[in-house]
Amino acid sequence: MSGDRVSGDRVGAPLVVRGALLVDGTGAPARRADALLVDGRVAELGEVGTTAGARELDAGGLVLAPGFIDMHAHSDLAVLTDPAHLAKTTQGVTTEVVGQDGLSYAPVDDAALDVLREQLAGWNGVPDLDWSWRTVGEYLDRVDAGAAVNVCYLVPQGTVRVLAVGTEDRPASAAELARMRELVDAGMREGAFGMSSGLTYVPGMYAGTDELVALCEVVAAHGGFYAPHQRSYGRGALEAYAEVVEVARRSGAALHLTHATMNFAVNAGRAGELLALVDAALADGLDVTLDTYPYLPGSTTLAAVLPSWAAAGGPAATLRRLEDPAALQRIRHAVEVEGSDGCHGVVAEWGTLEVSGVRHAELSGLVGRTIAQIAADTGAPPFEVFTDVLRRDRLGTTVLQHVGHEENVRAVMAHPRHCGGSDGLLVGAKPHPRAWGTFAHYLGRYVREEGVLGLEECVAHLTSRPARRLGLADRGVVRPGAVADLVLFDPATVAAGSTFAEPRRQAVGIPHVLLAGTPVVADGVRTGAVPGRALRHRG
């Protein structure tokens, strides 16, 4: 570590953190304490005496807390390609859960990987890297080569369906369902913590409730959890939440509701109904948790607005339909009259869909503008702008979707089973600022400025609660014997530096971050260390 707070330069030597305000992640009151770190773990807390050969860090005025755990991340490729990973390291994240929303890059075969690289270009880009892994275990081995953060993986149900069924809109056969169960079982045995679904994304959306139950039975047998992006966050949201609660009830799997909110005008002020459903499930003995990000807009691909039938067969088939006049008429009726299932059953509001990134540089002038604004500037109907952009960018366009409600956001984050998750996409010219700012924004706005959560309570939401959901007994808390995944922040200044105008600005007031005692951020500067590894579930 470098800078005027630190003395000594023996990398790997014991480290004494002096005079911190310890917020240990349990929710217990903050207290002043020193911390001695030895061999990557917390060795001692309290008044630590002089330790021979130890480095020292003056933490006066700083909170010492467990490293933050991002329960909903889209860093699947970034952890392999970006050694700095500033978006997460500089806001204190030490562990990310990837494989989200039912779509990622393992397990795959060559054909499935080709489909997924195209389909997920808007989420992760298509970087130039060695794509030679095929199994969950091989992907985790790649992470073990060195990353900026620790990584937990979820088996993606949509990816499994690509392998066993393809991208067609139809029920799985008995043999295909058996194959999917085998793939989920293999992924769990290789270290996955559970299974995710994207039930508004192709092809996960084509799975019926019984299919989801059958797959979650495998997850439950390994002690894992189910993390669904359910079928709607708009019209029909409560019914969609009720379906995944039923999946958990019938399968015996624990349930983690990802980016759990109630969006769109139809759900303004209705968070209490979602939380009542969660509380009723808990009262019935189900193991339910949830995560959210502390912002109003969502973020996804522009292609996600399409109805499910238009996306069947994968990207190439979708693009063919966008050239077919008869198909375009059906699509238009779905998105502008009926409410597309891809748009959560809500009629598309073109003024809420802001282009945040494009795959092809010649479209960069669209970034920062809504579909309605582009239509007004060009004189073309919004639907024609929508389909034209999809065709020209080959479905690679990402958008911010301005559909959230502050009352709902505050209500959900205060629930005792809540965890923090960024749901941050890292690609595009103007990504959602939550990728760079979620955890600092919780601490700055919703703790210091608004008082929605107390400091100790908020830290527990971001650390021990997600660690408990993941079964990481030695992370998420600061106590003797725990892994020294730690963050030091200034409670008086911590804030998200990222904004919607400048989404890639570093968080403020987080000078030090350590993974297993190794500094990855020191005095606000990335050190270059890559001690992160794949964490493997052993159920």
Side-chain angles (χ1 to χ4, degrees):
M1 302 176 73
S2 61
D4 59 22
R5 286 185 180 270
V6 182
S7 63
D9 59 0
R10 291 183 56 208
V11 176
L15 173 66
V16 179
V17 180
R18 293 283 183 199
L21 181 66
L22 175 63
V23 178
D24 66 8
T26 66
R31 61 187 176 93
R32 295 286 170 188
D34 304 332
L36 173 63
L37 313 181
V38 179
D39 294 331
R41 292 184 178 266
V42 178
E44 186 178 344
L45 289 173
E47 292 188 14
V48 176
T50 301
T51 301
R55 299 166 294 156
E56 298 220 352
L57 189 157
D58 174 10
L62 300 178
V63 168
L64 173 64
F68 304 136
I69 298 175
D70 189 341
M71 281 297 292
H72 191 99
H74 287 284
S75 304
D76 308 51
L77 299 183
V79 294
L80 305 180
T81 61
D82 181 8
H85 201 27
L86 295 177
K88 298 304 177 70
T89 55
T90 59
Q91 61 173 311
V93 172
T94 55
T95 298
E96 295 186 273
V97 185
V98 302
Q100 299 284 358
D101 294 333
L103 291 165
S104 189
Y105 305 93
V108 291
D109 58 18
D110 291 353
L113 183 58
D114 286 345
V115 170
L116 290 161
R117 282 191 294 196
E118 283 295 305
Q119 184 170 348
L120 300 180
W123 287 6
N124 300 302
V126 188
D128 182 15
L129 78 159
D130 176 5
W131 296 83
S132 59
W133 73 83
R134 292 295 179 269
T135 67
V136 170
E138 289 169 351
Y139 171 81
L140 297 177
D141 289 343
R142 186 70 64 84
V143 174
D144 278 340
V149 296
N150 299 315
V151 173
C152 301
Y153 193 76
L154 301 174
V155 178
Q157 171 252 330
T159 296
V160 166
R161 208 172 203 272
V162 171
L163 267 176
V165 182
T167 53
E168 296 79 20
D169 181 0
R170 63 173 177 82
S173 69
E176 289 165 341
L177 180 58
R179 175 61 175 149
M180 286 190 282
R181 285 171 58 95
E182 290 172 357
L183 290 165
V184 173
D185 180 69
M188 295 297 298
R189 291 179 185 277
E190 291 164 11
F193 285 76
M195 184 183 78
S196 74
S197 283
L199 300 180
T200 65
Y201 298 120
V202 171
M205 59 174 22
Y206 303 140
T209 304
D210 290 346
E211 179 177 316
L212 297 174
V213 170
L215 299 181
C216 283
E217 288 172 347
V218 179
V219 174
H222 288 279
F225 64 93
Y226 179 41
H229 165 130
Q230 65 270 2
R231 298 189 198 276
S232 177
Y233 291 85
R235 193 178 306 279
L238 287 175
E239 292 83 356
Y241 281 116
E243 179 194 21
V244 295
V245 168
E246 182 64 16
V247 169
R249 190 187 311 276
R250 289 173 54 191
S251 68
L255 178 65
H256 181 78
L257 301 173
T258 63
H259 42 57
T261 188
M262 299 282 286
N263 283 336
F264 301 91
V266 295
N267 290 320
R270 298 183 65 194
E273 297 175 60
L274 163 60
L275 299 179
L277 180 67
V278 170
D279 289 340
L282 291 168
D284 285 346
L286 275 68
D287 181 1
V288 184
T289 51
L290 62 158
D291 70 63
T292 63
Y293 47 85
Y295 295 88
L296 301 187
S299 179
T300 188
T301 62
L302 186 61
V305 176
L306 291 167
S308 58
W309 65 263
T318 303
L319 288 167
R320 286 194 297 272
R321 292 186 185 101
L322 293 173
E323 300 285 354
D324 178 351
L328 283 172
Q329 283 299 106
R330 288 184 64 198
I331 293 170
R332 184 170 196 160
H333 186 77
V335 301
E336 291 194 325
V337 179
E338 290 181 335
S340 161
D341 52 359
C343 196
H344 307 276
V346 175
V347 170
E349 297 177 331
W350 301 118
T352 68
L353 293 167
E354 177 188 353
V355 177
S356 59
V358 293
R359 184 174 181 182
H360 294 94
E362 63 268 22
L363 300 175
S364 60
L366 303 180
V367 172
R369 301 161 68 194
T370 68
I371 298 298
Q373 288 169 337
I374 299 166
D377 291 344
T378 62
F383 178 78
E384 291 184 12
V385 171
F386 165 64
T387 54
D388 181 62
V389 172
L390 288 176
R391 285 191 298 264
R392 293 169 63 196
D393 210 25
R394 298 192 62 78
L395 312 181
T397 310
T398 53
V399 293
L400 301 181
Q401 198 165 16
H402 296 271
V403 293
H405 300 277
E406 183 69 20
E407 179 184 344
N408 287 349
V409 169
R410 290 171 181 245
V412 175
M413 74 168 63
H415 193 274
R417 302 287 284 182
H418 169 267
C419 307
S422 71
D423 192 19
L425 301 180
L426 301 172
V427 301
K430 194 182 175 187
H432 198 303
R434 66 194 185 193
W436 287 70
T438 284
F439 297 86
H441 199 49
Y442 268 119
L443 295 165
R445 180 177 181 185
Y446 289 100
V447 173
R448 184 181 64 248
E449 296 176 5
E450 304 289 343
V452 176
L453 297 171
L455 176 61
E456 295 89 345
E457 177 70 1
C458 183
V459 169
H461 283 243
L462 307 181
T463 60
S464 64
R465 290 184 186 173
R468 191 176 307 121
R469 162 51 68 221
L470 293 163
L472 302 176
D474 57 357
R475 298 175 197 264
V477 292
V478 184
R479 58 167 173 75
V483 175
D485 289 351
L486 303 170
V487 58
L488 287 134
F489 63 88
D490 183 345
T493 64
V494 63
S498 59
T499 65
F500 286 98
E502 297 182 77
R504 287 190 170 90
R505 290 173 55 189
Q506 182 172 321
V508 175
I510 303 180
H512 300 287
V513 183
L514 301 94
L515 259 71
T518 297
V520 294
V521 175
D523 294 320
V525 177
R526 184 72 172 88
T527 67
V530 286
R533 298 292 183 268
L535 306 181
R536 290 169 169 82
H537 176 67
R538 301 300 183 193

